[in-house]
Amino acid sequence: MRIDWTLTAACLAAAAGGLIAWAAGIPVPFLIGSSLATALAVVAGLHFKLPAPLRSLAFFTLGIQAGSGVTPQVLEQVSLWPLSFAALLAAVLMTILVTYLYLHKMCGWDRQTAFFASLPGALSFVLAAAEQTDSDHRAVTVLQTIRLFLIIGIVVPLIAVLEGGGAPIATAVNPPNAAAQYLTLLACGIAGAVLGHFSRLPGGMLLGALLASAVLFGTSAVSVKLPPALANIGMIVLGMLIGSRFSGLDRHEIRRLFPASFFAFLLGTLAAAAVGFALHLSTGIGLSKISLAFVPGALEAMTVISFALGVDPTYVAAHHVMRFLFIALTVPFIARWLGKSSSP
């Protein structure tokens, strides 16, 4: 069997980054450490392809684990979700507005590039829509990628401080019928993951496994817990996937665009934070829940992080899906309008 040495090197770099972050006491260490280490390796010239089966297995494991954080008590605030969804859409619009104005008016970016760069997340749909216009696709990609890493490197640790360092690792206590519960969890998780995969939503496999697991744990049908080591491995794989987003980006271009990307991230985050704080005051929903739900990060990463910090993962995942759907359904029409308006 032929060994893929670049993938092996990437795995070793990601694992080392996770262990270093764990030893340093960084919150969610195996995700943050592996993603940063992988990004550095990619920028330094290491290019690899993450096998689809490995990615799918990691998403499945992390989805099952995140769903185990759902309890009947967690579901008591579901009645507040419609108001929270409305606030989320307001936060998205505020983020787009302030980021667009900064990039277009202050940085001199053309309005098409500034608009697509200001969209919080849903990068694949944003780039596909941007293809219909004359926008600078590489600038959009660089800004969106840097924003994700700033969220993971700055926002997540701040939220962890608010949460007192995160949730303690639960000790696995196997009930008498543990084998039957594991089989039930595995079967339902696979079914949910398959349905999630065919839903075409981002992170569909993780979402499907999470929902299946959430139903089982939320109804107290199962109580077994996955070994923490499995979740740590899944986080390392997810970190590799996040870090690989720097593949193909020129390091000089990253350095050139970093100042604009940083201030765009800062202004957009402050705008979303203002809406989120108003939601907190009016509903009493925790600031950590709102923060993780409103940040324009990858759905998979934010869902996993929310579980690791002891924050309701179903609330966080639902809001990221809502944000994605809003952007995915509206951006193609705006892109078509921008493309027509720019034609001579």
Side-chain angles (χ1 to χ4, degrees):
M1 182 177 66
R2 185 172 176 271
I3 299 176
D4 187 337
W5 291 109
T6 56
L7 177 61
T8 302
C11 289
L12 291 175
L19 289 172
I20 292 172
W22 173 73
I26 295 175
V28 202
F30 292 100
L31 178 61
I32 293 178
S34 62
S35 60
L36 294 178
T38 302
L40 290 174
V42 168
V43 171
L46 179 66
H47 301 291
F48 66 95
K49 184 176 181 181
L50 197 62
L54 180 61
R55 183 173 66 246
S56 298
L57 182 60
F59 283 176
F60 174 75
T61 303
L62 293 172
I64 291 290
Q65 189 209 39
S68 69
V70 176
T71 64
Q73 292 74 28
V74 164
L75 301 178
E76 292 177 357
Q77 285 192 318
V78 169
S79 61
L80 297 175
W81 285 18
L83 178 59
S84 186
F85 285 149
L88 170 70
L89 297 183
V92 169
L93 293 175
M94 285 287 292
T95 299
I96 293 172
L97 178 62
V98 299
T99 306
Y100 170 81
L101 291 176
Y102 167 72
L103 293 174
H104 182 52
K105 300 294 186 181
M106 302 288 292
C107 298
W109 290 24
D110 66 83
R111 64 192 188 94
Q112 295 179 350
T113 303
F115 170 73
F116 289 112
S118 69
L119 294 170
L123 181 59
S124 57
F125 274 79
V126 169
L127 290 178
E131 290 288 343
Q132 304 176 38
T133 69
D134 297 325
S135 60
D136 185 342
H137 308 148
R138 291 187 66 82
V140 173
T141 303
V142 170
L143 187 144
Q144 296 271 14
T145 302
I146 291 176
R147 176 163 54 191
L148 174 60
F149 273 83
L150 289 172
I151 289 170
I152 293 176
I154 297 177
V155 176
V156 171
L158 287 176
I159 296 173
V161 171
L162 290 175
E163 286 295 309
I169 297 176
T171 303
V173 179
N174 290 329
N177 60 338
Q181 289 196 28
Y182 274 121
L183 287 175
T184 301
L185 187 60
L186 179 64
C188 293
I190 291 175
V194 170
L195 291 174
H197 171 72
F198 286 107
S199 72
R200 304 286 185 176
L201 286 172
M205 183 166 287
L206 183 146
L207 275 177
L210 182 152
L211 290 175
S213 176
V215 169
L216 293 175
F217 282 96
T219 57
S220 301
V222 299
S223 59
V224 293
K225 299 288 185 180
L226 293 181
L230 284 178
N232 292 338
I233 293 173
M235 287 189 184
I236 289 173
V237 174
L238 178 57
M240 293 174 64
L241 183 62
I242 294 172
S244 67
R245 290 183 63 166
F246 275 103
S247 180
L249 299 182
D250 183 82
R251 70 188 69 179
H252 300 295
E253 196 168 15
I254 294 174
R255 189 181 305 116
R256 178 178 66 85
L257 294 174
F258 183 82
S261 300
F262 176 80
F263 284 106
F265 153 79
L266 183 63
L267 291 172
T269 300
L270 289 175
V275 178
F277 190 68
L279 176 66
H280 165 69
L281 293 178
S282 60
T283 64
I285 299 175
L287 282 175
S288 298
K289 286 176 63 172
I290 294 173
S291 300
L292 287 171
F294 280 33
V295 293
L299 182 150
E300 300 95 333
M302 293 303 111
T303 302
V304 170
I305 288 170
S306 66
F307 175 82
L309 297 181
V311 177
D312 179 9
T314 54
Y315 174 88
V316 173
H319 283 69
H320 280 279
V321 170
M322 179 63 67
R323 174 176 54 82
F324 172 84
L325 290 175
F326 175 71
I327 293 174
L329 292 175
T330 57
V331 164
F333 298 100
I334 299 176
R336 191 174 296 115
W337 175 76
L338 285 174
K340 290 179 178 179
S341 64
S342 64
S343 58

